[in-house]
Amino acid sequence: MGSSPSRLLAEYTQRTPIWSPSDQPSLSAFGLSRAVQKSSGNEVCIWEYHKPKDSQADGTELEVLAAGIKRLRTIRHPGIIKVLDADISEHGIYFATEAVRPLKSCISEFGIDLEEVVLGIFTVVTTVAFLHEKDLSHNNLRPESLFITDDGRWVIGGMEYTAPLGQINQKTLEIAGSHIGYSMEETEGDEKHKARETTPPPHARDSYCLGRLILAIIEPYASSLDSPFRWDLLRDAAERLSSPDPFSRPTPAEILKEPFFRDNVLISVYDFLQNIQATPQSEKVEVFNRLAANVRSLPVSTIEQYVLPDVLTLGFISEPGVEEFLGHLFVPLRKNDAFGIVPSEVYVKTICPFLEEMWRGRSLEGRVVLLKLFQNYVHELVEWDESLLTSLIIPELIRGLADSSNDIYILSLTSLISIIPRLCLMQSSGVVASGSSPTEDAPATASGDDVRRVLRKVTGEKTDKPPVLRHKTTTTLLPESAPAAPRLTKRHSIAIMSPAHAMKSPSQGSSTVTRPEDSIHRYTPQLVVENVVIPHCLGTCVSEDFEETEVWKVLDVIVVIWKRLCVLEGTGKCAPSIRHLTVSLHKMFHLILKILPPNQKVRLFCDRLSSSSLQETEVSSIHYLPRLPDLGTPFLKDGDKTVRQKFGQTLVQLIEHTTLMMDKAPTIVRRRDEGGVKARVRSAYGRFVRREGAIFESRGPRRGSVSESSAAMSASDAALTPAAEGSNASSKDGAEPVNENKAWALPPVVARDEWKQWNEETWDIDGNFDTNDAEVQDVEHTNQEVADNTSVQNEKALRREELRQKRALRQQEYRNSRKARDSLKEDSIQNDANPSS
């Protein structure tokens, strides 16, 4: 601005005039323009007053304006325009304020919503009441004195004639001339009221100006029939403010108690949010309890525009007792749902970005609130962006396990446990890489040294110590020198990252840049459970740093999640590797039961694990009910008598309830495991019962053996007839017959009862062919299970044909044996009839 008359003007540029006192002298004694501060680039407003050349030598107008500006710089209120800088000299007055626009120009150019008008009027009334509380009078309230900031706030300007309450005089009004709104005659009433000897109340002038101002603002809206606001109530209050009798005019503070302001939900919510820091703690908690219902009663557009900007801030969610309200806000509103405030489309647009921003921050109060309400929003947040689970939420939860605050630690651990089922479902759908093939950083078969080598490669650490989990202490299931279990070779290949490295922020000089694809491979369900959850759960149970209630918070969550994982495993909704998680957690429960004292041991198994299961009526409970007796049975030998009795009673109830639930379960659920195990056993051990042929030669009938008698009856009819004839011939000659086929020869003398018994034991073979039919059915079932293998199909087809041929042969043999048996019976009867023979 070159050689400007003020040093203040030299600090700003790009001035755009809004009005000039020479063009519109009735607006203000100051000229107004928008400018940009050179140092910061922020937009501001510049107010300029140049002393006229023909003004009085004493500079009375300059002194009045300067006094008002000096007084304005000492006032701090959100409803009063904020002064940034000022320069007062003998030649003029220059001051800079926050960027504003005149209210009248905003209404004419853009229009204003009804809600904004109501909140704006409320702001003006509360601001004037604040000035009177500070013994100050504005003296120049009119539509030209109202402005709107760039962030939408209504503020009062025109403060150059502000004076102590009741001290405005005629000389000041004469100096102001046309720059002031209302004359002394207008504000002090008609001649009848002026005849009184008493002086009008000090608030009379501002009350009159305020009433005229409200009537001017609501004039375009008061005739609306479908308006949700009672404009008639506000009009009545404004008319009383501008009453001709100055003694009957209420104060601005009294107007705020009128029904229009007192019973307005929008105003009550807005007022609380604007003055939340000044509200007493007891009153604040009470308001939070009913705030959700009040906000839900407002239109969605009003909530989005006038409530959420004040609610979605770090300062608001850090307020004590705010969880009651945020518990509703962080749940999307659904039809006929008692929870939720905003619908899903607004939730995705406003709440989800705010939650992501808060998770990236490190405020203690904000993080505690996020963790307490974790279950309210985590599923919607992950649905909005699935990558946030592995790239932001899990790393931040692991960082929370290194915090010295017990609240942060316990809440982080329980939140991490609760998202394991979600992580398993994401892995089964392919969002989280399962890593079924070996990777460069994690070989499929790894010993303890290999794992530590991978840790050093990924984290850049040069030590052989295990990763630090919390407070520079190590909690592991196996000692450092113990080799890795062989079962690890069949699990997923994972790129392991040290929790200490995960907890290192970029500001700590980490040379490794975390990429989203790295986090996907890093945080698999197996890694989270076995490297983080199990060690920290066991550490919490044995640590003396936590209260008993905090320990049970962890145990309650892990019990619920274990049951949920068992259901996912049993229903087949996740990858088969989920079985490793349920088995690992099952072993962890067994270890926890060993280390807990007797009373807590009973509480965990009988109350937490079993009691809720015994009350379960869903058939899904059959997926974890049969596993609970395995946990309780070893403790029937516990040294404490109470433990033995409680565990024994609970085990009996579990077995009975499991049987009942199995009866209610669908057949396909009961048969699923049986069929799968049978198929696996047959494929592994079926080859051991395949026989090539007879090895041992049969030498005669063996009493009581049905199978060998059946084999003996496989001889032909030609071989049977000579044996019978030889027997008759030998009996006639009195000599012992020569038996060429002893399998069918009868003893020389057989009593009737012995013959009957021997005949039944030897020849009663009815029903043997049912077993062969079942064998053929099993082979056919096996062929269906291995239909994807062509060579096996061919082999089974040949086997089936061979069995069918054997069956036909056995049927023929059976018919022949029946004939032989009937013939033998007839011979025996004849012998009985002719004892002389």
Side-chain angles (χ1 to χ4, degrees), residues 369-385:
V369 172
L370 289 178
L371 293 174
K372 286 183 178 180
L373 303 175
F374 189 73
Q375 294 302 318
N376 293 54
Y377 63 83
V378 63
H379 298 293
E380 282 74 18
L381 184 61
V382 175
E383 287 290 338
W384 178 61
D385 187 355

Side-chain angles (χ1 to χ4, degrees), residues 388-550:
L388 290 178
L389 184 62
T390 54
S391 64
L392 177 63
I393 296 178
I394 293 181
E396 288 297 323
L397 291 176
I398 294 179
R399 287 187 178 94
L401 299 178
D403 195 89
S404 58
S405 170
N406 280 3
D407 291 337
I408 293 290
Y409 179 83
I410 295 297
L411 291 172
S412 298
L413 182 56
T414 54
S415 299
L416 184 63
I417 295 171
S418 65
I419 60 174
I420 294 174
R422 178 79 187 196
L423 193 61
C424 293
L425 291 173
M426 290 175 60
Q427 183 186 45
S428 62
S429 63
V431 177
V432 180
S434 62
S436 57
S437 61
T439 62
E440 179 182 359
D441 290 337
T445 304
S447 64
D449 295 336
D450 294 330
V451 173
R452 285 189 288 274
R453 191 180 304 110
V454 172
L455 287 173
R456 290 196 302 270
K457 183 176 181 181
V458 175
T459 64
E461 301 179 56
K462 296 182 178 180
T463 177
D464 288 337
K465 296 181 180 180
V468 177
L469 294 178
R470 182 174 187 258
H471 303 315
K472 297 183 180 180
T473 60
T474 302
T475 307
T476 56
L477 294 176
L478 297 175
E480 180 182 356
S481 59
R487 54 190 175 89
L488 289 175
T489 60
K490 294 185 179 181
R491 297 191 181 185
H492 296 313
S493 300
I494 51 178
I496 303 176
M497 186 191 72
S498 165
H501 179 72
M503 293 181 288
K504 186 183 296 184
S505 62
S507 60
Q508 292 175 303
S510 175
S511 59
T512 304
V513 180
T514 303
R515 299 171 298 176
E517 56 270 21
D518 293 339
S519 62
I520 290 178
H521 288 275
R522 181 179 304 143
Y523 299 109
T524 60
Q526 177 189 335
L527 173 64
V528 172
V529 170
E530 297 190 356
N531 287 26
V532 182
V533 171
I534 292 179
H536 282 277
C537 287
L538 293 174
T540 303
C541 293
V542 299
S543 176
E544 298 179 356
D545 297 337
F546 304 102
E547 298 180 358
E548 183 177 342
T549 55
E550 294 175 333

